[in-house]
Amino acid sequence: MVRFVQPVSAPADPYVGDPLLRSWLERQLGPAGHAAAKGRLADLAADVTGPLRAAHADAEAHPPTLVRYDPWGARIDRVDTSAGWRTQRAAAARHAVVALPYLESARGTWGAAARIVQHALLHLYGAESATFSCPVAMADGAAALLSRPEVDADVRDAWLPRLTATDPDVAITSGQWMTESQGGSDLARSSTIARPARDGSWRLTGEKWFCSAVDSAMAVALARPEGAGKGSRVLAPFLVPRYAADSPLADGRAPDACAPGVRIHRLKDKLGTRALPTAEVGLRDAYALPLGDPTQPGLVRAMTLVVVTRLHNAAAAVSGMRRGLAYARAYADARQVAGGRLVDSPLHRATLGTLGVDTAGAFVLAGHAFALFGRVEVGADPDAAAELRVVAPLAKLATGRLAVACASEYVEAFGGAGYVEDTGVPRLLRDAQVLPIWEGTTNVLALDVLRAVTREDAARPLLRRLAAAADTARGLSPALAHTLTAVTEELRDTFAAVTADPGGVEAVAGARAVALRAAYALTAALLVEHAAWGDETAEVAARLWARRWLRHEEIAVDAHQHLDLLC
Ligand SMILES: Cc1cc2nc3c(=O)[nH]c(=O)nc-3n(C[C@H](O)[C@H](O)[C@H](O)COP(=O)(O)OP(=O)(O)OC[C@H]3O[C@@H](n4cnc5c(N)ncnc54)[C@H](O)[C@@H]3O)c2cc1C
């Protein structure tokens, strides 16, 4: 008896094999803009399917370790990472995954739409980066913060070129030290203190509880300037050099030693993101540079960074969803069940097709957030800023939840093999679960949406887009137009009710449901916009998304029929 071995094919090139990504770029960038991006995208996709996939597997198999003492007993707190992790680091720099929107050449070619090209790079890169997408997100957030005019020019000139370098020997990433054990969501409880030093720099003392990418050359740390009082608004962002090489206090220490006053207590043993070194960090009079005037309320400055990392979180969620779908489809094409290919089973086709609808919706939602951010960053566009205020939390919260649900289905789509570590499939689920947690849990983001709607008039741009999409949808499908019109009116009433009593139990307890409803409606509107431009996948996805998420109907039969379009 011959032992059966299942043939498994790798999915297609992630750029060539993703028609929605390509049509999105064609519409958003125009044919010339898309043509200008194609070389970059094809290069990255080729790297992803070759050396980066191998590096991803290596980094996953060899998690980082903390060496706390040298052989003679001296405390060294050295974080050792794998060759795969370092390969991912170099590739992120070389492919300008962080740098692109800051490059003059990119701004010259694409203007505000450089962020759309960056989103495409992240979409290709993130899913098989062994979560190097995390330091990429934080480096971009730090670069955006350093770009603010309030930041001292000397600090910016010293660090921004390194964060946005494309030479792997020069490029650095950043950590983001905010969470303390007494409060991650509740930053008001932060107890890290910043004290001014005589030379104009500051010294930070405190304990940070979750510090990802702790191998990065710098971190943005939140601290309470001495005497600033209570609450979260007064917290200020500081740049902390992580290594002795960049600390003026180093006093002869080896360049790759910890900067004086920075201690790595331990690495977290996490459910997922295993290649990513996440540490508990102690600060004792650590050298720090203020990012903006620390005597002025600083949380608003730090939010620049948080918005960027929330957008990256959405990009990472969608990247994982799309790649998981591609793997599940490739497996279904090869696997035989009940006398035929798994992909020919109407039920399995419906399962994958439904995942395709969710993935298409999540993609346009994340893509829209990046497009808005580019317009804010380059053109200081007030309409885009008003819309981004609510779209950033909506995109982060909706895609984070979808990513977890889809990842669970991908694991199941491989049957027992999906549960076996060395297939690489289980990590899809493990790594998805962080997406709804960090940079704001679902509840925390839902409350942020509530604040935006009730205090900052953020409902207006959202409702305007929904109403316009309802009009547009008339030419595509009367049922879809009707659904969008009804949901727009429903949300208008809901927003009015919560604005009348924003602190009431109904508004607060219902905040998650309202935020998700708004995110799903916005997604339908964005799919309609793309469908109206002429994209067939978006047209199918818009109809099925609206039925699934706005009308709560079963879409199995249509998802089965349209599988080949959807993935
Ligand atoms: C893998 C990983 C990496 C991370 N990396 C970093 C990092 O690099 N830097 C960093 O600073 N942090 C990092 N974090 C920490 C992360 O940002 C926090 O864990 C997150 O913000 C939640 O904070 P918390 O852990 O204090 O949970 P809590 O805030 O205590 O939340 C517990 C529960 O309470 C809910 N909740 C909280 N507040 C409210 C409210 N007002 N109303 C209703 N419900 C509420 C939350 O939704 C959650 O379900 C990381 C976390 C993980 C898992």
Side-chain angles (χ1 to χ4, degrees):
M1 178 93 179
V2 179
R3 189 165 165 262
F4 176 76
V5 176
Q6 174 65 48
V8 179
S9 44
D13 173 299
Y15 174 53
V16 175
D18 192 340
L20 183 61
L21 168 66
R22 286 186 282 112
S23 79
W24 178 259
L25 294 173
E26 195 76 9
R27 172 175 151 233
Q28 299 282 348
L29 305 175
H34 187 193
K38 274 181 184 158
R40 276 187 181 282
L41 298 167
D43 284 353
L44 175 54
D47 241 6
V48 165
T49 52
L52 292 186
R53 195 163 279 165
H56 164 78
D58 177 73
E60 283 293 321
H62 302 98
T65 51
L66 172 64
V67 181
R68 291 184 66 190
Y69 295 97
D70 78 0
W72 313 106
R75 183 88 186 248
I76 53 172
D77 292 3
R78 193 183 74 227
V79 176
D80 288 339
T81 55
S82 62
W85 182 253
R86 294 191 299 275
T87 300
Q88 291 290 347
R89 175 183 290 285
R94 218 173 40 248
H95 290 287
V97 177
V98 175
L100 189 97
Y102 302 88
L103 298 178
E104 270 185 31
S105 58
R107 288 217 175 157
T109 307
W110 297 295
R115 284 283 174 187
I116 294 170
V117 181
Q118 181 195 30
H119 174 230
L121 291 171
L122 293 168
H123 188 65
L124 298 174
Y125 175 76
E128 290 172 281
S129 68
T131 61
F132 200 85
S133 51
C134 171
V136 159
M138 296 190 292
D140 192 359
L145 176 53
L146 279 159
S147 302
R148 284 180 69 117
E150 308 95 302
V151 172
D152 184 89
D154 290 342
V155 177
R156 180 167 43 248
D157 292 348
W159 290 89
L160 185 59
R162 297 171 71 190
L163 285 166
T164 57
T166 53
D167 176 350
D169 291 335
V170 177
I172 61 166
T173 52
S174 178
Q176 172 177 316
W177 300 348
M178 297 193 177
T179 303
E180 299 184 5
S181 68
Q182 66 273 23
S185 313
D186 190 1
L187 289 173
R189 305 188 70 201
S190 298
S191 63
T192 297
I193 292 289
R195 296 188 180 88
R198 282 205 197 92
D199 63 357
S201 64
W202 288 62
R203 303 289 178 268
L204 262 49
T205 297
E207 295 292 323
K208 295 294 181 181
W209 181 236
F210 261 100
C211 303
S212 287
V214 75
D215 54 334
S216 296
M218 58 166 275
V220 174
L222 269 190
R224 190 179 301 282
E226 201 171 34
K230 292 183 174 165
S232 59
R233 284 179 66 242
V234 297
L235 295 173
F238 290 85
L239 189 159
V240 181
R242 161 75 174 80
Y243 295 105
D246 293 311
S247 173
L249 311 181
D251 200 19
R253 285 192 188 199
D256 60 350
C258 280
V262 176
R263 286 229 153 146
I264 314 296
H265 297 314
R266 61 173 168 164
L267 295 184
K268 301 278 196 193
D269 183 6
K270 295 167 291 175
L271 169 67
T273 66
R274 288 186 179 168
L276 170 74
T278 301
E280 294 164 22
V281 172
L283 301 170
R284 297 285 173 276
D285 283 325
Y287 179 85
L289 296 164
L291 298 172
D293 180 355
T295 64
Q296 298 301 313
L299 194 62
V300 64
R301 290 194 297 285
M303 284 312 289
T304 302
L305 177 156
V306 171
V307 168
V308 171
T309 48
R310 284 181 179 169
L311 263 51
H312 276 257
N313 202 88
V318 183
S319 177
M321 288 167 76
R322 185 67 187 88
R323 200 66 51 84
L325 183 60
Y327 272 100
R329 173 69 204 251
Y331 184 73
D333 284 341
R335 183 72 173 167
Q336 297 284 317
V337 294
R341 291 189 316 156
L342 178 56
V343 76
D344 295 327
S345 148
L347 179 53
H348 199 71
R349 288 181 72 80
T351 307
L352 295 184
T354 303
L355 294 167
V357 171
D358 290 358
T359 303
F363 175 78
V364 297
L365 183 56
H368 180 57
F370 274 83
L372 289 175
F373 185 58
R375 284 166 50 198
V376 175
E377 191 177 47
V378 171
D381 180 333
D383 291 340
E387 195 179 345
L388 183 66
R389 172 64 189 91
V390 69
V391 169
L394 287 180
K396 198 275 183 187
L397 84 89
T399 58
R401 293 185 70 75
L402 283 169
V404 177
C406 287
S408 172
E409 285 285 7
Y410 295 140
V411 171
E412 190 174 337
F414 281 83
Y419 208 73
V420 173
E421 277 298 336
D422 56 5
T423 62
V425 179
R427 62 152 287 276
L428 287 175
L429 183 55
R430 282 203 303 267
D431 288 351
Q433 186 61 67
V434 72
L435 297 164
I437 296 177
W438 100 297
E439 285 304 6
T441 60
T442 310
N443 282 359
V444 166
L445 291 165
L447 292 174
D448 190 40
V449 170
L450 183 64
R451 265 193 306 276
V453 164
T454 57
R455 291 194 206 156
E456 299 169 53
D457 200 19
R460 193 191 300 265
L462 191 62
L463 292 171
R464 198 185 307 130
R465 185 171 294 280
L466 296 183
D471 268 355
T472 308
R474 288 206 184 93
L476 300 170
S477 146
L480 177 56
H482 176 74
T483 304
L484 266 172
T485 305
V487 173
T488 308
E489 289 317 307
E490 174 207 311
L491 280 170
R492 199 184 301 280
D493 291 347
T494 307
F495 291 153
V498 296
T499 303
D501 186 13
V505 170
E506 283 194 17
V508 176
R512 179 194 278 233
V514 172
L516 286 170
R517 188 92 176 133
Y520 297 153
L522 173 63
T523 303
L526 296 169
L527 286 168
V528 164
E529 289 174 12
H530 197 50
W533 172 81
D535 186 75
E536 201 187 347
T537 307
E539 201 254 300
V540 168
R543 282 192 287 108
L544 299 191
W545 175 279
R547 285 177 50 203
R548 173 166 160 75
W549 291 107
L550 299 179
R551 297 216 304 257
H552 305 293
E553 289 176 9
E554 182 54 61
I555 59 166
V557 173
D558 296 84
H560 143 263
Q561 267 161 10
H562 294 295
L563 173 67
D564 294 330
L565 197 59
L566 291 163
C567 81

